[in-house]
Amino acid sequence: MLKVIGIGPGRTEWLPPAVIDLAMNCDDLIGGSRALKLFPDFLGGQHCLTGDLKASLEVIRTALLDKKDIGVLVSGDPGFFSLLPRLKKEFPGEQIDVYPGISSLQFAFARAGLPWQEADFVSVHGRDLSVLPTQIRRLTGVLTGGMNTPQRIAQFYIDLGQNPNISVGNALAYPEELWQTMDANHLAQEAASLKNAILILHPEIVQATGDDSKKSAASVFEGRIGIPDQEFLRGNVPMTKSEIRVQVIAKAQISRSDSIVDIGAGTGSISIEAAGLVPEGVVYAIEHNPEAQALILANQQKFGVSNLQLIPGSAPDVFPELPPVNVCIIGGSKGRLEDILVNVPLLEGGRIVITAVTLETMSQGVKLLSELDYQDIDIVSLQAVRWQPVHNLHMAQALNPVFILSARKGVRS
């Protein structure tokens, strides 16, 4: 059995007694050297992990061969941008019990004295800065790491013409702790090394002005449904046609403050139209194809959409990076529809819309939605025909038929 134990900030005074008891009752403990030092009286086997994730997983795999209770010590909270998703993937047949710790962002928001139930969260550790929101609409916690320092993140917003206030927490809970709030211009020039930093981005208050040239990008795109296909930058990436796009958006029943995930976003056409309907919300576009990722960002810039966030990668692998969402739109599952439906962080009562071009995918979708207790399951099959002018006549141009499945996530008793 694996016991994944969160050690919070990694200081003895921040370890709850329950966590200490759990760790002390394991047969073996596996963790970094700093984590293992928290339990100096532990008499079982100890395995020190390094920064090499592959080697660390092999240490865990070897320890499990003895059929013992193995405690894996992780900093912060195991379920928050931590090792848990990888452990579940690597050891699918193993019983894994999870014990929470204090996450670094929970600590940071407490330091700031700010509520965080409505905040957004993102990690740029090992990821491109394009995952950051281009317009900060609500408090946003950011995990930094590697080359993506607080200074580099501050410069990211300066390059966008913004100067938000940013709270910086470095080495929180340690004697050398730094906690300070400054604007992006000052942070970009900060000389201190901030290698263990947590950020809180504060929404920037934009003063009203009569000069249209000074309006924020958020005011450029005011929401349009059924944008003509030719207005989108497309490249060689498939795109949901406008006739189908309208129906997908309608079935999603989007509200202005919803959080939406668009899985298999392609060119971003659905993401962009959805973003126009949620001025107080956000759209997360998941896409694994690098060409499509570039097109999403290019179309985002073209239409001036600020509340769209690209998440490079495949679903459900990137789900740990998502907050809970109200709406899930699935345009492509790459054969992993069941894993997506089981793991998507959709709130109870949230809406889901699936498009399918084959009978098999449609049939699988209906079966899975039923098995997973989704309610109000609806199936629509559409085939649009465009009548194109040819000389002085109009000829039919049939588009491929598409199934649209929609449902609502059931409330578990």
Side-chain angles (χ1 to χ4, degrees), residues 208-222:
T209 171
D211 185 352
D212 288 345
S213 66
K214 295 182 180 179
K215 289 184 178 180
S216 68
S219 66
V220 175
F221 186 67
E222 297 177 351

Side-chain angles (χ1 to χ4, degrees), residues 330-411:
I330 304 175
S333 63
K334 301 192 71 64
R336 305 178 71 184
L337 184 58
E338 181 173 3
D339 287 341
I340 290 171
L341 291 178
V342 168
N343 293 292
V344 65
L346 184 64
L347 292 167
E348 290 183 345
R351 286 86 65 198
I352 193 160
V353 182
I354 306 169
T355 58
V357 295
T358 68
L359 284 169
E360 290 76 12
T361 302
M362 183 275 293
S363 177
Q364 182 194 24
V366 173
K367 179 175 181 292
L368 289 170
L369 290 173
S370 299
E371 292 175 348
L372 296 171
D373 297 324
Y374 278 81
Q375 308 297 315
D376 305 325
I377 299 173
D378 183 69
I379 311 166
V380 175
S381 176
L382 298 177
Q383 181 173 19
V385 177
R386 292 176 175 174
W387 293 85
Q388 302 289 358
V390 179
H391 301 298
N392 61 337
L393 303 174
H394 284 77
M395 301 289 292
Q397 182 188 58
L399 304 181
N400 290 332
V402 177
F403 294 98
I404 302 176
L405 312 181
S406 58
R408 189 176 298 274
K409 187 172 182 179
V411 178

